[in-house]
Every structure is written in C-alpha cells, then in structure tokens.
Amino acid sequence: MTFSPELADIRFGCGLSPDIAPPQSVDSMLEALQARDEMAARFPIPLFSEFQPRIAEYRHAKTRQRKAAGTDDEVALSEQARAMGIAASQDMFKWYGQTVMRWTYTSSGLRERLVAFWTDHFTAVGKLGLFRNAGSPFVEEIIRPAITGRFADMLIAVTTHPMMVQFLDQQVSVGPDSIAAQRAKKRNLGLNENLAREVLELHTLGVEGPYTQTDVRELAELLTGLALNNDWGYSFFPRRSQPGPETVLGKTYGGDPSRIEPIHEVLRDLAVHPATASHIARKLAVHFVSDNPDPALITHLTSRYTETGGDLMAVYAALLEHPAAWHPELYNVKPPFSFIASACRALAVEATQMASFRPNQVAHRMVVPGALMGQHWQRAPGPDGWPEEDSNWITPQGLSARVRWAMTAPRLLRPDLPDPRDFVGKALGSYASEPVRFAAAAAETRAEAVGLVLSAPAFQRR
Amino acid sequence: MSDPISRRAFLARSALIGCSAAASPLWTPVSFAAAPWDTRLVVIILRGGMDALDVVQPYGDPDYQGLRTKLAGGPASGASDLDGFFALHPALSPLMPLWRKGELGFVHAVSTPYRNKRSHFDGQDLLEAGTDTLAVGGDGWLNRLLQQIPGVEARTAYAIGHDDMKLLSGAAPVANWSPDAELIMSPQAVRLTELVMQEDPMFHAALNEALLLSEPADIDAAAMVMAQDDGGSAMMQMTMPRPVKGKSEIKIAQFAAEQLRGDARVASFSINGWDTHNRQEANIKAALTRLSDTLLTLQEGLGDPIWQNTAIMAMTEFGRTARENGTGGTDHGTGGAMLLAGGAIRGGRVYGDWPGLSEAALFDRRDLMPTGDVRDVAAWIMHSATGLDQNRFEQVVFPGLSMSRKPGFLL
C-alpha cells in the first residue's frame, strides 16, 4: 500500500481530470500546498474584510427602514435593503461556481479538500443579515490561508471572528456581573454558553474530552466581551466581560482588566491538549481514509500532532506517509458537493460556460440538487457540520437525487458531452470495471451513458 | 388515468421485477403481507432540545415566574390553560380541540439517561439508540421493536425526509424515503444503473429501494394505464432533482399519512429548529407552528377511522435550562417533555411527576429535574399498540429499562 498518482487525486484530491496530471509524489503534494494559490487568483472570491462593508451597510439600511416605518420613505428604504440582499445572494451563487471551478482546474486537489475539511470542522453558518451570504468570503480569508499553519492560529482566528461569533450567539453573551449587565439590570443581560460549549466539544477536545459543565461555564465567562460592533465587525468590549479570572481545565485565565489576550491563551492551550490531538487526528483519518480507519494511522497522526504542537503541515505529512492511507479499495462516499464538483472536473466543464450561468441556473443545476442529495451548500444543520458516515449519504432518497442529477445535469454543464467510451476511462482510471464500461457503451443516449459513469460507485467513492 | 407519472413508475417497477427481484434484499411480493398489528405509530424527533417549560408552561408553580421574565408564560401571556397548573404555548393553540377531545397529552419532566455533557449530537444518538449508554454503531430502538415482531417487511415502517433517523436503523427492513425523491427511469436505464451498482451492496440496496418506493401506491391503477397505453418511451424523460412545492413538513406528514392508510404501521421523521439559545420567543413559535401543522396534517390525511387508531409521540434529546439566559433564550438542559397525540392516546392530561422548580429541586441547580424516562413512555405505548410482551421491551427494545407501573397512555 503505497503512493499512487491516481489515488492521490481520487482520495486526497478533487477526482481525476481528463486534462490535468495527478501529483507524482507525496512531496509534490505537500509542496503544492505551500506554493502560490493559483486557483484563488484564477477564480477569485472576495475576502471577508472586503465583503464586511456590505454587511454593515445592509444592517444600517435595515435600521433606517425600521425607523422610517409608517413614513413616506419606508418603501424606498425597504427596496434599497432588498436590492442589497438580492445582490449578495446572487454573489453567493457566483462564488459557488468559482469554488466548483477551483475543484475542476486545480493541480493541488489536496488544498481544496483541506479547505473543505477545515470549513466543516469550523462550521459557521450565517444567521444575521448579510452574514447569510458571507460563507465563501469567510473561508477565503480565515480558513484557506490557515490550512498550512498551526491549528492554534486557525482556532483563534475562527473563534474570535464575527462569522463564528454570530453563528454561536456570542454577540449576545454578557458577563452577569459585568459593567454592562449591572448598568442595564432591566434588560436582564447574561451569559450564553453556545460558543464555549462548541469550542470544547467540537473544535478542540471532542465530546469524549476531559471537560465538565463547569469548564463550559467558566470558558463562556472568559469569552464574554467578544462581540460584534455597530457595523457587525469584530470587537472586544471589556464592559461586557465577566470580572475576575476564570478556570478552565484547572488553569486560571484572565482577571481585571478584561482583555482579549487571555481568550487567545486558553485557545492556545486547548489547541495543544492531548485530547485535541487525538480528536483532530481521528477526524482527518475518517475524512480522508475511511469511516473506520486503521487505529495505527490515528496513533501516528496523534503523535505527530503532539510532537509538533499542532503543526498542520507535519500532520498532513504523517497522513500521506502512512501505508494505511493508500489502500487501493475506495471506501468513503463523496458528500454531495464533492460529488458534483468532481463530476465537473471529470467533465472538464469550461470556465466560460460556468461564468455564463445566471445565479438561478447555478441554483437549479447544482445547489438545489446538492441539497436534495442531503447537503445544503453552506447550510450545515448544526455546528458539528456534515456527517462522515457513508450510510448517511447513500440512502434511497439521496441516491435517487444523485442518479437523477448525473443523468440530467452534465449536458447542461457541458453541452458537447464527451464520448462515453472515452469518458469512462478518464473519469474512473483503473477503477473502470467491465460492467461500467459495458453500461457506458450500451446506454440509449450519450447523456445517460455519462450519467451511468458518474453514478458508478467507483466514481462516488474515494 | 392518463397520469404519465403512474405509467412511467409502473414501467420502472416492471423492469425491476424483470431483472433484479431475486437480487434485491428489499424486494417483497406484490401482495403485501397482512400488517402485523393495527395501531399506527408515529415517532417525531424534535432535534435541537425543545424547551419543555415554554411549551407546557407550569404557571401554577410558585418558582416559575421568577425563572422566566422575557419568556413569561401562562394564560396571562396568551397561553391556553390546560388543567389549572400547566398552560400550552400559544403557537400550539390550534391543537386545543384535540386536547379537549382527549387526543392530545403531554408527559412532563422526562428525559433519556443522558446527563451532564449536554451535547445535541450525543443526546440525539442516545435518544435514538434507546440504551443507557452510547455504543458506537448500534441499532435504534424502533428498529429493535420491528425485529421482535413476525411479519414485518420493508413497507411496515418508514423513515421519512432527508435526516438520518437512527432510531429506525438496524436489522429489520425499513423504508427510507422523502416525498421529493421519486426516481423514474426508462427500463433500459434501470437495468444499466443496476448493473453499474451491482457489486456495491450499499449502493445496490439503496437503488432498489428507491425504485421500489417510486412506484405509485395504487399498483392496479398503474397497471390499467399501462394496458391502455402502447409504450411511448419519449415520455420517460428524467428530471433534475427539485424540491416538491409547499412546506416540507406538510409534504412529509401527507406522505406519512398516505403510507399509514395502507400497510405501513410505523412512520418516523424529524422536526428541527428547537435550539433556542437566542430570541426564543420568535424561534420556538416557528418550530411549534411546524409541529402543530404536522399533527393536523396527519389527522386530516389519515381520516377519522385510522386517526382513532393512531398514537403519535414527539420527543427531544433534552430540555433546556430552567432559568432563561441573558439573551432571551435558554441553554442546553436535562429534563424535558414529550407530546402524545392521536385518537388512540388517552390525552387531555399532563402525565409525569412534577419535581418543582425551586433551586434545590433543579438538576444541577439549573435544569428541570427528570423524574421519568422517555423510554418508559415509549415502551408502554408500543406495548399497548403491538401487544408485544413487556419483558421484550425491558430486555431488547430498551435493554435495562425497568418499566413503571402501568400508566395507561393508550385507550
């Protein structure tokens, strides 16, 4: 069980492409992660900081609209806010298309996969105003550049980011004894544990980790002060902080006056906790290798994580150098977005074609079918992200949507469909079995033949 | 009679019989076996942790008012009085006619054995496993019920929608389906799709089930259309996956009712949106409206004779903090409540031992103290409905559960 270029693209990348050669070694996979981000340059998505003014403008527009209720200006102001909302939704579909194009044309599939993995690990769904459309800009600025750094830095960047703050209600959590709560007794301000709980349970130690309800509460108290400013951007408000130090996992943090640094400090400690090391190691092995990975692989990743204090490049190297990562059988089922994007890669969908789609065409051709396969783009059902278990995706209803999409969407994405007899080899490589080759040749139409190849388990697994 | 969907579905089904009936583990003969029992069971999982104290409001408890200010309840805040002590959240007032007829009831201060960590995901897994502690990869309690009863086949029980219903997973055959999932293909496409999936059991089983469940419920009508029509394969155009129009919870309830009018005896699905950390007033109202619409759609879809023989249980992974938090919401808690509905339910009352809400009476001085086990309620209802021996519930369906004195939840 050793490296193979084909598996490098299938298991650790975005699938096989008819035009782009797969990586030739583990070293080249790792080097590509640190090389220039060509896909980001070729298929741009704005940074969160570039999108943020639109969140602020929209918020202020809605406020003006509410204040104008009942006046002559109300209709015009409501129209103004509505137009901003529509423009942001349309951009969201454009960014979906850009993301699919990155999967289609990258020669560093592992980069796109790691971005998807960490985006899911730190699931942050937009709930307020134009945060609802900020998923891609958030990933572009906060996750994408951080995947090759230290876990601690990504954890700090995500936890203190407005996107996570609004997703887990941190902006309304106030220290019960803080100045803000004392001055506004009638408003009954207080603590909200949501972010603190998920940081411990999902982002760091894992639910089996050695923390208690008291740790959740103390961490929630430590996190108070972290909130949104008037523009819904990042801010730290000492007046909202619970006074005094807090004890998390036996160590005391902070004190008076309240500052952001103790929050960074506790996150740094959590990032290198042994429970975090094994939690992250297990998640990576399950995501990339199989639902039930070899325990030796998890141990190997855990030790590398611990030895390096969570240096992610070293952990990826540990994953790719381990023989258990290269077994030839394909186990994991691609989640719906990966299925759709890797199909676009196999079809070599033209960038000009994708760019020509109107937002509602992107929705009808990819985003909505993906939701019916069980995965609503950037709308994970909870902070734990999408499930890894194959059985969650290959249900009768999920598979029905996959087969229907495979047989109907490709001719809309690529009007000059490839010759199916050629496509079967390009899409599946050495995994093209005799029955699949036969089916591709025996289908009644070219669209059906292409659909059958994409429906084959050898394409849907990785 | 000229509905092309029915005819196409029939063709797809014919092809399935023609080439793969023997290979499909889920295939059953066209004439379904008589259903193994008569009462219809519907289990609704309320994912996110429903706030029991806001749904069935203990306004007669002296400590209630002090705990809930932004979330103040009771008849003075528009809730419907139930029994002089509890009142029902206003968003459920469309269900009051059911309450008055004795077709709606609640069990208060119940929980699973899950304690302390208050994770949604582990909480739901334990709720659906029906065990004392979590084991990886185990089956679900509703599936273990089916395993105990002879004559159960794939269309006896339905898991509906796009959520993974772990309580129905396991060795007994169960249909998984969503109203928007219909898979209609030409016979040739069916044959070839089966061919490409034949060596992968997970894909092959899901495909066959999808084809089977895409059949019209009324096979005779489809056969008549088939007899009147001479082919016309041009009509077998597949369509892009798209959602059915209308609210999904209504579509799911309609689909469940349609199956339960026939041979199905169990249906299970989720209603989400209960994790009300923030702005609970607006958020719980939306979720309760979905729940209310679902129950009324089931009642209408089942029709009176079958509704009279239906028991619905709605349950959640945990309740929420007794005291509202600083953000107009509540955080993850422990003790919660179950909703029971249907003509077979002995409703019109709030069951359960009320623990009180004084600080000393709370679990961890924070959550409603659980005084009963949701599994006990489910066991008694299923025992009455199916006639299965009590010891099967205590040993197999909910291993380790000791069932309480008979509470008589069913008529």
Side-chain angles (χ1 to χ4, degrees):
Chain A
M1 294 195 288
T2 53
F3 172 87
S4 95
E6 194 175 69
L7 271 179
D9 253 356
I10 293 175
R11 180 164 303 145
F12 296 102
C14 302
L16 298 177
S17 157
D19 303 325
I20 297 154
Q24 295 305 308
S25 68
V26 166
D27 285 347
S28 72
M29 293 170 79
L30 294 170
E31 281 159 20
L33 287 179
Q34 292 186 305
R36 189 179 111 85
D37 188 349
E38 284 173 19
M39 288 299 108
R42 187 164 156 201
F43 302 106
I45 290 172
L47 300 178
F48 186 88
S49 49
E50 293 167 322
F51 183 75
Q52 209 284 327
R54 294 170 67 179
I55 296 179
E57 279 167 35
Y58 181 82
R59 183 192 187 203
H60 298 316
K62 292 297 277 187
T63 309
R64 284 196 298 277
Q65 179 196 332
R66 270 194 301 278
K67 284 188 178 154
T71 73
D72 295 346
D73 295 337
E74 188 184 1
V75 174
L77 288 170
S78 141
E79 207 39 56
Q80 193 189 15
R82 211 175 81 88
M84 290 176 174
I86 291 173
S89 307
Q90 293 185 335
D91 283 342
M92 196 167 76
F93 291 120
K94 192 161 89 190
W95 300 330
Y96 179 99
Q98 298 289 70
T99 309
V100 170
M101 283 296 98
R102 292 176 179 184
W103 278 58
T104 306
Y105 289 107
T106 186
S107 53
S108 173
L110 181 57
R111 187 198 299 264
E112 304 305 328
R113 290 287 306 285
L114 287 167
V115 169
F117 172 81
W118 290 111
T119 300
D120 184 71
H121 180 77
F122 288 115
T123 291
V125 179
K127 296 201 298 197
L128 298 179
L130 290 202
F131 277 111
R132 285 194 288 267
N133 307 104
S136 296
F138 166 71
V139 172
E140 197 69 3
E141 179 160 343
I142 304 301
I143 303 285
R144 195 171 178 95
I147 60 167
T148 51
R150 287 187 174 275
F151 177 74
D153 295 328
M154 186 159 29
L155 176 67
I156 289 170
V158 170
T159 309
T160 56
H161 195 273
M163 190 76 179
M164 188 61 85
V165 165
Q166 61 87 43
F167 176 49
L168 295 176
D169 306 325
Q170 180 61 32
Q171 82 280 10
V172 293
S173 185
V174 178
D177 305 314
S178 65
I179 297 169
Q182 295 305 312
R183 294 224 174 134
K185 282 217 159 118
K186 279 199 187 122
R187 290 177 58 204
N188 204 17
L189 299 172
L191 212 56
N192 185 306
E193 294 175 354
N194 212 0
L195 178 62
R197 176 180 307 283
E198 304 309 8
V199 163
L200 294 173
E201 175 184 328
L202 300 175
H203 302 156
T204 62
L205 307 176
V207 72
E208 303 295 330
Y211 65 96
T212 64
Q213 174 61 37
T214 308
D215 293 314
V216 173
R217 177 131 194 128
E218 295 275 310
L219 180 57
E221 290 182 349
L222 189 63
L223 291 174
T224 51
L226 189 58
L228 300 177
N229 65 20
N230 196 39
D231 288 334
W232 276 355
Y234 167 84
S235 204
F236 185 77
F237 297 91
R239 289 156 55 89
R240 297 165 68 96
S241 279
Q242 176 71 359
E246 313 295 342
T247 303
V248 180
L249 301 183
K251 183 171 165 187
T252 301
Y253 297 90
D256 301 321
S258 296
R259 294 171 308 129
I260 187 74
E261 286 75 14
I263 296 178
H264 292 183
E265 195 188 334
V266 73
L267 293 172
R268 257 185 246 292
D269 287 343
L270 287 169
V272 295
H273 193 284
T276 303
S278 57
H279 181 214
I280 301 293
R282 162 167 285 280
K283 279 194 78 168
L284 277 165
V286 166
H287 181 79
F288 281 98
V289 179
S290 91
D291 288 0
N292 298 297
D294 185 341
L297 175 63
I298 299 174
T299 309
H300 185 63
L301 295 183
T302 308
S303 340
R304 187 67 56 85
Y305 187 106
T306 310
E307 287 154 21
T308 61
D311 173 351
L312 295 175
M313 282 302 294
V315 178
Y316 306 150
L319 172 67
L320 295 175
E321 77 199 10
H322 200 281
W326 295 99
H327 55 74
E329 303 83 6
L330 305 181
Y331 292 122
N332 276 343
V333 170
K334 296 173 183 172
F337 177 80
S338 298
F339 171 59
I340 290 171
S342 64
C344 289
R345 181 175 174 90
L347 289 162
V349 171
E350 299 275 0
T352 49
Q353 183 77 31
M354 187 67 83
S356 76
F357 291 160
R358 294 188 304 274
N360 68 337
Q361 289 176 315
V362 175
H364 292 147
R365 292 170 184 186
M366 289 176 282
V367 182
V368 172
L372 289 167
M373 295 173 201
Q375 193 179 35
H376 195 155
W377 169 245
Q378 294 180 347
R379 290 284 181 276
D384 57 337
W386 298 105
E388 290 286 353
E389 295 87 353
D390 302 335
S391 56
N392 186 78
W393 304 117
I394 302 308
T395 58
Q397 52 274 52
L399 185 61
S400 171
R402 285 178 188 238
V403 171
R404 286 167 65 184
W405 183 83
M407 296 207 182
T408 52
R411 63 180 166 228
L412 302 172
L413 300 172
R414 163 122 217 178
D416 55 331
L417 281 178
D419 185 319
R421 289 160 298 183
D422 182 41
F423 182 67
V424 67
K426 294 268 169 60
L428 303 178
S430 67
Y431 291 91
S433 67
E434 217 24 69
V436 178
R437 286 183 185 282
F438 171 83
E444 288 170 339
T445 65
R446 188 171 276 223
E448 194 172 290
V450 167
L452 286 163
V453 174
L454 298 178
S455 298
F459 187 80
Q460 303 207 45
R461 291 186 185 272
R462 62 190 178 192
Chain B
M1 278 297 143
S2 60
D3 176 11
I5 300 291
S6 305
R7 192 185 55 75
R8 294 203 306 263
F10 181 74
L11 289 177
R13 184 184 153 269
S14 310
L16 182 67
I17 299 169
C19 75
S20 72
S24 166
L26 288 159
W27 178 252
T28 48
V30 175
S31 62
F32 293 108
W37 74 87
D38 206 35
T39 302
R40 273 63 167 181
L41 289 170
V42 179
V43 182
I44 304 174
I45 303 291
L46 308 172
R47 293 184 199 277
M50 182 183 76
D51 181 21
L53 295 184
D54 203 8
V55 177
V56 183
Q57 303 166 351
Y59 74 96
D61 188 296
D63 294 301
Y64 171 68
Q65 262 196 328
L67 293 167
R68 301 289 174 113
T69 51
K70 281 183 194 165
L71 297 173
S77 305
S80 315
D81 183 39
L82 293 174
D83 57 6
F85 186 86
F86 291 110
L88 190 61
H89 190 283
L92 290 184
S93 61
L95 301 181
M96 281 308 287
L98 294 180
W99 171 268
R100 286 190 283 269
K101 278 194 280 183
E103 295 174 356
L104 175 72
F106 298 90
V107 193
H108 222 313
V110 285
S111 76
T112 68
Y114 185 59
R115 293 292 182 273
N116 299 327
K117 280 266 170 114
R118 301 180 177 88
S119 150
H120 290 299
F121 322 111
D122 280 358
Q124 288 172 26
D125 284 354
L126 197 70
L127 173 68
E128 297 184 71
T131 47
D132 285 331
T133 53
L134 262 185
V136 178
D139 49 10
W141 56 265
L142 199 46
N143 192 282
R144 289 198 297 276
L145 169 76
L146 298 170
Q147 292 169 28
Q148 298 302 304
I149 299 179
V152 163
E153 40 99 316
R155 283 188 165 191
T156 300
Y158 277 77
I160 306 170
H162 291 282
D163 283 320
D164 184 17
M165 301 302 293
K166 290 192 175 123
L167 79 166
L168 264 173
S169 68
V174 168
N176 286 275
W177 200 236
S178 176
D180 52 28
E182 199 176 48
L183 182 60
I184 306 296
M185 292 195 283
S186 71
Q188 170 74 346
V190 169
R191 229 166 268 136
L192 294 174
T193 309
E194 290 229 302
L195 180 66
V196 304
M197 294 185 184
Q198 71 183 6
E199 284 166 14
D200 192 313
M202 178 183 277
F203 279 79
H204 195 241
L207 175 71
N208 278 337
E209 201 179 336
L211 292 168
L212 196 64
L213 293 168
S214 296
E215 293 168 17
D218 186 347
I219 288 172
D220 290 342
M224 284 176 66
V225 174
M226 178 67 181
Q228 288 165 0
D229 197 299
D230 57 345
S233 61
M235 297 173 79
M236 283 173 218
Q237 186 80 13
M238 285 189 79
T239 57
M240 190 76 95
R242 59 183 166 224
V244 287
K245 290 206 163 55
K247 294 179 179 171
S248 64
E249 67 273 10
I250 303 255
K251 295 289 161 189
I252 285 174
Q254 286 170 339
F255 178 81
E258 187 186 330
Q259 307 312 317
L260 293 167
R261 281 200 308 268
D263 288 318
R265 290 297 175 266
V266 173
S268 186
F269 51 87
S270 314
I271 298 179
N272 302 341
W274 303 93
D275 192 20
T276 49
H277 286 280
N278 197 7
R279 293 175 58 236
Q280 173 160 319
E281 196 179 340
N283 293 329
I284 203 166
K285 186 176 163 206
L288 287 169
T289 302
R290 287 196 291 276
L291 176 60
S292 171
D293 288 350
T294 298
L295 296 175
L296 294 174
T297 303
L298 280 170
Q299 183 194 17
E300 186 190 344
L302 289 168
D304 198 55
I306 294 177
W307 173 254
Q308 289 310 324
N309 212 357
T310 295
I312 301 168
M313 302 181 247
M315 52 179 79
T316 188
E317 68 263 31
F318 45 60
R320 308 188 69 84
T321 45
R323 184 179 298 279
E324 69 188 28
N325 65 18
T327 64
T330 47
D331 291 318
H332 301 183
T334 309
M338 276 175 86
L339 175 148
L340 309 176
I345 289 292
R346 192 190 296 273
R349 63 185 84 178
V350 179
Y351 295 91
D353 295 326
W354 183 246
L357 292 173
S358 68
E359 190 166 342
L362 297 176
F363 178 80
D364 266 2
R365 307 180 90 80
R366 106 181 215 136
D367 306 335
L368 179 63
M369 176 69 76
T371 57
D373 191 323
V374 291
R375 300 174 301 167
D376 189 41
V377 180
W380 277 113
I381 288 177
M382 295 190 297
H383 168 68
S384 307
T386 64
L388 185 68
D389 274 358
Q390 191 176 329
N391 66 26
R392 297 283 80 200
F393 284 97
E394 295 180 328
Q395 288 164 17
V396 182
V397 179
F398 296 117
L401 177 73
S402 169
M403 285 167 73
S404 60
R405 200 164 49 81
K406 188 174 182 180
F409 293 120
L410 286 197
L411 288 175

